[in-house]
Amino acid sequence: MKTERHVLASKPPRANAQQATPTSAPAADVARSVREETVSPPAVEEKRQPVVTSSHVPATRNIPPVKAPISNPAPTRPPPDRTEDEDNDYDSDDATTLGSLEFSLLYEQENHALHCCIVKAKGLKPMDSNGLADPYVKLHLLPGASKSNKLRTKTLKNTLNPVWNETLVYHGITDDEMSRKTLRLSVSDEDKFGHNEFIGETRVALKKLKFDQKKNFSVCLERVIPVSEDSEERGRILVSLTYNSQQSRLMVGVVRCAHLAAMDSNGYSDPFVKVCLKPDMGKKAKNKTQIKKKTLNPEFNEEFGYEIKHGELAKKTLDISVWDYDMGKSNDFIGGCQLGIQAKGECLKHWYECLKNKDKKIERWHVLLNDNTVQFED
């Protein structure tokens, strides 16, 4: 009977454990339950409770620790690679009432892609009059603009135990962002005739992920966690720079954009990119890509050349701006970035690497900002 308390290590909420107390049970059943529960060791060990040394087992007093994990289906046993710190990140009495979510995350460092596989949810809180829900999962990178980096799964109808097995991908995530960003996963109930209703959420600090290693999660959903968000980010762009020493030309490649802010009422944009080398380059400094219709993740794969001496590049600034094309009226500015010696962070690093490594193509992702202090011409 000394092992009787160890089954608490699967960490059911205590309030619910008390509620699950049955009125009576034979002592023999209790002993049998103890033996069955202690065959496999618990996945996560908590502080041990005082050992019970009495040879007599009261029928009601010692039942709750044994029976609680069985009668409480909501908390799921975490996968083997979870740590105790992660299990302690979220601790709430709402754990059993909101449900749980299973998902996996994989960051591919070479491709700068974060793969989020939403597997399933269990025991979700009923939201509709029929006692069910129409759940979907929404992803959001924090901090970041709400419109430019939200991804969502399909909606599954009339279920509290949805199985999605759907993979959503964030492109252009840098190693630096992995060290400071948090992924928010929220589950909501879709309502055709009103506002979608929030069920619960969980958050993962991306610095917990090891690059190029898939990590599985099984967590209880929490109530909404307020956070201050940076509303300036409007998407991102993949740019290549090459200084061709034989032709004395700077080659600027506009490869693709990802997670652009939606500017049109249909939830999309019709994006194109403008590239301008300033100052004092005149009309030949301005170039723009083709327009890609109805997309927030356009691929351009276009390249522009600027004839300029290598020594002059240090004095120049490369303006890159993304626009939403509107027929018959002015185009909407989505976001932009500036590369040059006066730039900061990734923009400065990219420009410096281009100057330092002649004849080498260098690709980098850049965050697009809706920055009113910088003038981008329409």
Side-chain angles (χ1 to χ4, degrees):
M1 295 309 298
K2 291 184 181 181
T3 58
E4 146 185 16
R5 297 276 181 170
H6 293 183
V7 294
L8 280 174
S10 60
K11 201 175 180 183
R14 297 189 178 182
N16 291 289
Q18 292 169 359
Q19 292 167 6
T21 305
T23 54
S24 63
D29 290 345
V30 176
R32 190 181 306 113
S33 298
V34 172
R35 286 196 298 274
E36 290 171 356
E37 284 296 299
T38 54
V39 170
S40 58
V44 182
E45 192 74 13
E46 285 194 334
K47 287 194 296 186
R48 301 193 174 211
Q49 301 289 334
V51 177
V52 179
T53 56
S54 171
S55 59
H56 171 68
V57 183
T60 58
R61 197 174 301 162
N62 287 333
I63 291 174
V66 177
K67 291 292 185 179
I70 302 173
S71 62
N72 186 2
T76 56
R77 179 167 295 188
D81 61 346
R82 281 177 63 81
T83 66
E84 191 170 356
D85 287 341
E86 288 170 327
D87 287 323
N88 292 336
D89 278 352
Y90 309 109
D91 191 8
S92 163
D93 290 338
D94 298 323
T96 54
T97 59
L98 299 180
S100 62
L101 181 67
E102 291 185 26
F103 59 97
S104 68
L105 300 177
L106 168 65
Y107 176 62
E108 291 183 342
Q109 188 177 22
E110 184 178 353
N111 300 330
H112 295 288
L114 177 63
H115 297 261
C116 314
C117 179
I118 310 302
V119 183
K120 62 183 177 180
K122 290 196 288 187
L124 294 180
K125 179 182 177 182
M127 303 299 287
D128 298 337
S129 56
N130 60 4
L132 300 172
D134 302 323
Y136 65 92
V137 179
K138 189 159 52 178
L139 306 184
H140 187 186
L141 277 178
L142 303 174
S146 57
K147 287 186 179 179
S148 68
N149 64 31
K150 277 187 180 174
L151 302 175
R152 60 164 285 176
T153 66
K154 58 182 178 288
T155 301
L156 298 181
K157 298 288 186 180
N158 297 323
T159 178
L160 300 180
N161 300 287
V163 178
W164 288 281
N165 285 324
E166 190 172 343
T167 299
L168 306 172
V169 182
Y170 279 106
H171 295 283
I173 304 296
T174 64
D175 295 357
D176 174 64
E177 287 178 303
M178 289 295 295
S179 68
R180 60 185 175 84
K181 293 240 179 190
T182 295
L183 180 67
R184 176 192 184 219
L185 303 93
S186 60
V187 182
S188 296
D189 170 59
E190 187 173 285
D191 189 348
K192 284 187 176 180
F193 305 105
H195 293 292
N196 294 343
E197 292 185 282
F198 173 83
I199 297 176
E201 70 167 55
T202 188
R203 301 192 182 193
V204 178
L206 296 182
K207 63 184 178 182
K208 291 184 178 181
L209 301 183
K210 293 180 180 177
F211 294 175
D212 301 310
Q213 288 187 25
K214 180 180 176 182
K215 188 168 180 61
N216 298 314
F217 294 85
S218 180
V219 297
C220 291
L221 296 172
E222 299 291 311
R223 295 199 183 280
V224 66
I225 308 166
V227 67
S228 58
E229 296 180 11
D230 170 17
S231 61
E232 290 297 308
E233 188 174 316
R234 311 274 284 182
R236 51 199 62 218
I237 186 168
L238 180 58
V239 177
S240 70
L241 294 179
T242 314
Y243 185 78
N244 188 319
S245 57
Q246 290 184 333
Q247 300 178 10
S248 295
R249 291 173 72 85
L250 173 67
M251 306 303 297
V252 180
V254 178
V255 184
R256 64 184 297 183
C257 295
H259 318 302
L260 295 178
M263 306 301 288
D264 297 337
S265 57
N266 60 8
Y268 293 99
S269 292
D270 301 320
F272 66 94
V273 180
K274 289 185 178 183
V275 181
C276 181
L277 191 62
K278 301 193 304 190
D280 308 323
M281 294 291 289
K283 288 186 177 180
K284 61 183 179 180
K286 298 179 181 179
N287 290 285
K288 64 181 179 180
T289 67
Q290 293 181 332
I291 299 165
K292 301 294 181 179
K293 293 287 188 178
K294 201 177 177 183
T295 177
L296 302 180
N297 299 282
E299 290 195 32
F300 297 100
N301 294 314
E302 297 186 43
E303 194 171 57
F304 308 106
Y306 298 94
E307 193 171 329
I308 185 172
K309 293 179 181 178
H310 185 265
E312 295 290 313
L313 274 180
K315 305 173 186 176
K316 301 296 182 184
T317 297
L318 186 68
D319 276 6
I320 300 173
S321 54
V322 183
W323 300 79
D324 169 53
Y325 174 75
D326 281 330
M327 186 180 295
K329 53 183 178 179
S330 61
N331 301 316
D332 294 321
F333 175 64
I334 296 177
C337 61
Q338 291 187 313
L339 280 58
I341 296 299
Q342 305 299 322
K344 296 178 181 178
E346 294 285 315
C347 292
L348 172 62
K349 192 182 295 184
H350 195 183
W351 192 253
Y352 179 74
E353 286 183 356
C354 172
L355 297 184
K356 188 179 178 182
N357 301 284
K358 294 180 182 178
D359 302 308
K360 182 180 178 182
K361 178 180 283 191
I362 300 167
E363 281 190 354
R364 275 192 181 275
W365 284 95
H366 297 288
V367 172
L368 297 167
L369 299 177
N370 185 9
D371 194 342
N372 295 326
T373 64
V374 181
Q375 297 299 314
F376 293 98
E377 297 178 11
D378 186 0

